[in-house]
Amino acid sequence: MKTIKVSVVTPDGPVYESDVEMVSTKASTGELGILPGHIPMVAPLQIGAVRLKNGSKNEFIAVSGGFLEVRPEQVTILAQSAEQSSEIDLERALKAKERAEQRLHERKQENIDFKRAELALQRAINRISVAERRI
Ligand code: ATP
Protein backbone atom coordinates (compact mmCIF):
# COMPACT_ATOMS: atom_id res chain seq x y z
CA MET A 1 0.00 0.00 0.00
CA LYS A 2 1.30 3.45 -0.92
CA THR A 3 1.76 5.96 1.86
CA ILE A 4 1.88 9.72 2.27
CA LYS A 5 3.94 11.63 4.82
CA VAL A 6 1.94 13.62 7.38
CA SER A 7 3.26 16.35 9.65
CA VAL A 8 1.17 18.16 12.22
CA VAL A 9 2.81 21.33 13.47
CA THR A 10 1.66 23.89 16.05
CA PRO A 11 3.22 27.15 17.34
CA ASP A 12 4.59 25.01 20.22
CA GLY A 13 6.32 22.62 17.85
CA PRO A 14 5.69 19.39 15.93
CA VAL A 15 2.98 17.12 17.29
CA TYR A 16 3.00 14.23 14.83
CA GLU A 17 4.99 12.92 11.90
CA SER A 18 4.47 9.61 10.16
CA ASP A 19 3.73 7.86 6.87
CA VAL A 20 0.09 6.89 6.52
CA GLU A 21 -2.22 5.45 3.87
CA MET A 22 -4.95 8.05 4.22
CA VAL A 23 -5.63 11.34 6.00
CA SER A 24 -9.26 12.25 6.68
CA THR A 25 -10.49 15.47 8.15
CA LYS A 26 -13.11 18.18 7.90
CA ALA A 27 -12.13 21.31 6.01
CA SER A 28 -14.35 24.38 5.91
CA THR A 29 -15.59 23.15 2.52
CA GLY A 30 -16.49 19.65 3.77
CA GLU A 31 -15.00 16.23 4.43
CA LEU A 32 -11.58 15.58 2.90
CA GLY A 33 -9.99 12.19 2.27
CA ILE A 34 -6.39 12.44 1.12
CA LEU A 35 -4.54 9.55 -0.46
CA PRO A 36 -0.96 9.47 -1.82
CA GLY A 37 -0.74 11.41 -5.10
CA HIS A 38 -3.55 13.82 -4.21
CA ILE A 39 -3.54 17.05 -6.20
CA PRO A 40 -1.82 19.96 -4.42
CA MET A 41 -4.18 22.13 -2.42
CA VAL A 42 -4.49 24.34 0.63
CA ALA A 43 -7.61 24.34 2.81
CA PRO A 44 -8.59 26.00 6.07
CA LEU A 45 -9.45 23.53 8.83
CA GLN A 46 -12.20 23.71 11.40
CA ILE A 47 -11.99 22.57 14.98
CA GLY A 48 -12.18 18.81 14.48
CA ALA A 49 -10.52 15.44 14.31
CA VAL A 50 -7.87 14.28 11.86
CA ARG A 51 -7.95 10.54 11.21
CA LEU A 52 -4.75 8.85 10.11
CA LYS A 53 -5.23 5.40 8.63
CA ASN A 54 -2.55 2.74 8.42
CA GLY A 55 -3.80 -0.75 7.56
CA SER A 56 -6.49 -1.63 10.06
CA LYS A 57 -5.11 0.95 12.53
CA ASN A 58 -6.59 4.44 12.92
CA GLU A 59 -5.01 7.24 14.91
CA PHE A 60 -6.86 10.43 15.82
CA ILE A 61 -5.60 13.94 16.42
CA ALA A 62 -7.71 16.80 17.78
CA VAL A 63 -6.95 20.06 15.95
CA SER A 64 -8.25 23.52 16.84
CA GLY A 65 -8.42 25.03 13.37
CA GLY A 66 -5.57 25.95 11.07
CA PHE A 67 -4.51 25.02 7.56
CA LEU A 68 -3.91 21.87 5.61
CA GLU A 69 -1.43 21.84 2.75
CA VAL A 70 -1.39 18.89 0.39
CA ARG A 71 1.46 18.01 -1.92
CA PRO A 72 1.58 14.69 -3.80
CA GLU A 73 3.82 13.03 -1.21
CA GLN A 74 3.26 15.16 1.86
CA VAL A 75 0.41 16.55 3.94
CA THR A 76 1.23 19.36 6.36
CA ILE A 77 -1.26 20.48 8.98
CA LEU A 78 -0.50 23.81 10.63
CA ALA A 79 -2.78 24.02 13.63
CA GLN A 80 -3.33 26.53 16.42
CA SER A 81 -3.22 23.56 18.78
CA ALA A 82 -3.21 19.80 18.20
CA GLU A 83 -3.14 16.77 20.46
CA GLN A 84 -2.86 13.08 19.69
CA SER A 85 -5.72 11.19 21.35
CA SER A 86 -3.29 9.57 23.81
CA GLU A 87 -2.03 13.03 24.90
CA ILE A 88 -5.43 14.47 25.72
CA ASP A 89 -6.16 15.20 29.35
CA LEU A 90 -9.82 14.20 29.48
CA GLU A 91 -10.43 15.76 32.90
CA ARG A 92 -9.09 19.09 31.66
CA ALA A 93 -11.30 18.98 28.58
CA LEU A 94 -14.37 18.11 30.66
CA LYS A 95 -13.65 21.07 32.94
CA ALA A 96 -13.11 23.39 29.96
CA LYS A 97 -16.46 22.22 28.55
CA GLU A 98 -18.20 22.94 31.84
CA ARG A 99 -16.61 26.41 32.08
CA ALA A 100 -17.61 27.29 28.53
CA GLU A 101 -21.17 26.07 29.04
CA GLN A 102 -21.40 28.11 32.22
CA ARG A 103 -20.30 31.25 30.38
CA LEU A 104 -22.76 30.63 27.57
CA HIS A 105 -25.59 30.24 30.07
CA GLU A 106 -24.71 33.43 31.90
CA ARG A 107 -24.84 35.44 28.67
CA LYS A 108 -23.84 38.57 30.57
CA GLN A 109 -20.78 39.27 28.49
CA GLU A 110 -20.26 41.20 25.31
CA ASN A 111 -20.58 39.35 22.01
CA ILE A 112 -16.86 38.83 21.73
CA ASP A 113 -16.80 36.79 24.95
CA PHE A 114 -19.79 34.81 23.78
CA LYS A 115 -17.92 33.84 20.60
CA ARG A 116 -14.84 32.95 22.65
CA ALA A 117 -16.90 30.73 24.91
CA GLU A 118 -18.48 29.02 21.89
CA LEU A 119 -15.05 28.28 20.42
CA ALA A 120 -13.76 27.03 23.79
CA LEU A 121 -16.79 24.75 23.98
CA GLN A 122 -16.12 23.39 20.48
CA ARG A 123 -12.46 22.72 21.34
CA ALA A 124 -13.44 20.91 24.53
CA ILE A 125 -16.12 18.79 22.81
CA ASN A 126 -13.65 17.91 20.05
CA ARG A 127 -10.98 16.86 22.58
CA ILE A 128 -13.48 14.75 24.50
CA SER A 129 -14.64 13.04 21.33
CA VAL A 130 -11.05 12.35 20.15
CA ALA A 131 -10.00 11.14 23.64
CA GLU A 132 -12.87 8.66 23.57
CA ARG A 133 -11.42 7.15 20.38
CA ARG A 134 -8.32 5.96 22.23
CA ILE A 135 -7.68 2.29 21.69
P1 ATP B 1 -8.10 25.05 28.55
O1 ATP B 1 -9.19 26.00 28.95
O2 ATP B 1 -8.20 23.71 29.22
O3 ATP B 1 -6.72 25.64 28.56
P2 ATP B 1 -8.25 25.68 25.73
O4 ATP B 1 -9.15 25.16 24.67
O5 ATP B 1 -8.41 27.11 26.09
O6 ATP B 1 -8.42 24.70 27.00
P3 ATP B 1 -5.96 25.95 24.03
O7 ATP B 1 -5.75 27.43 24.15
O8 ATP B 1 -6.66 25.44 22.80
O9 ATP B 1 -6.73 25.40 25.34
O10 ATP B 1 -4.57 25.17 24.17
C1 ATP B 1 -3.53 25.61 24.99
C2 ATP B 1 -2.50 24.50 25.09
O11 ATP B 1 -2.98 23.47 25.96
C3 ATP B 1 -2.19 23.81 23.77
O12 ATP B 1 -0.83 23.44 23.75
C4 ATP B 1 -3.08 22.57 23.79
O13 ATP B 1 -2.52 21.52 23.01
C5 ATP B 1 -3.10 22.24 25.28
N1 ATP B 1 -4.36 21.61 25.72
C6 ATP B 1 -5.53 22.23 25.90
N2 ATP B 1 -6.47 21.37 26.38
C7 ATP B 1 -5.84 20.17 26.50
C8 ATP B 1 -6.27 18.87 26.95
N3 ATP B 1 -7.52 18.63 27.35
N4 ATP B 1 -5.36 17.88 26.95
C9 ATP B 1 -4.10 18.10 26.56
N5 ATP B 1 -3.64 19.28 26.11
C10 ATP B 1 -4.49 20.31 26.08
Side-chain angles (χ1 to χ4, degrees):
M1 195 79 186
K2 273 190 167 180
T3 59
I4 188 162
K5 189 175 172 182
V6 185
S7 307
V8 181
V9 183
T10 74
D12 296 330
V15 167
Y16 182 92
E17 190 162 300
S18 186
D19 294 307
V20 304
E21 289 168 8
M22 182 158 104
V23 182
S24 314
T25 191
K26 206 171 166 189
S28 306
T29 45
E31 291 286 335
L32 275 180
I34 299 149
L35 295 165
H38 194 286
I39 51 158
M41 63 175 273
V42 174
L45 289 180
Q46 295 182 333
I47 295 170
V50 175
R51 180 166 67 101
L52 304 156
K53 185 180 177 294
N54 244 334
S56 57
K57 200 175 138 217
N58 281 303
E59 288 179 275
F60 293 90
I61 298 180
V63 296
S64 299
F67 285 91
L68 171 103
E69 186 204 24
V70 182
R71 284 182 275 142
E73 284 164 17
Q74 163 116 39
V75 175
T76 307
I77 293 173
L78 299 169
Q80 194 52 49
S81 70
E83 303 90 35
Q84 289 191 57
S85 58
S86 57
E87 301 294 320
I88 293 173
D89 178 341
L90 184 57
E91 275 302 303
R92 177 174 167 179
L94 288 167
K95 281 185 186 149
K97 177 171 177 275
E98 218 169 275
R99 264 197 320 274
E101 281 171 343
Q102 190 66 40
R103 282 192 206 115
L104 291 171
H105 279 124
E106 284 168 8
R107 285 184 183 239
K108 280 180 200 152
Q109 294 102 339
E110 299 291 317
N111 271 349
I112 190 148
D113 285 336
F114 188 75
K115 188 72 199 163
R116 259 173 70 175
E118 259 182 357
L119 290 171
L121 180 60
Q122 278 183 35
R123 290 196 299 274
I125 290 172
N126 183 41
R127 285 176 176 129
I128 293 162
S129 123
V130 169
E132 282 168 352
R133 283 161 149 165
R134 269 178 221 167
I135 306 152

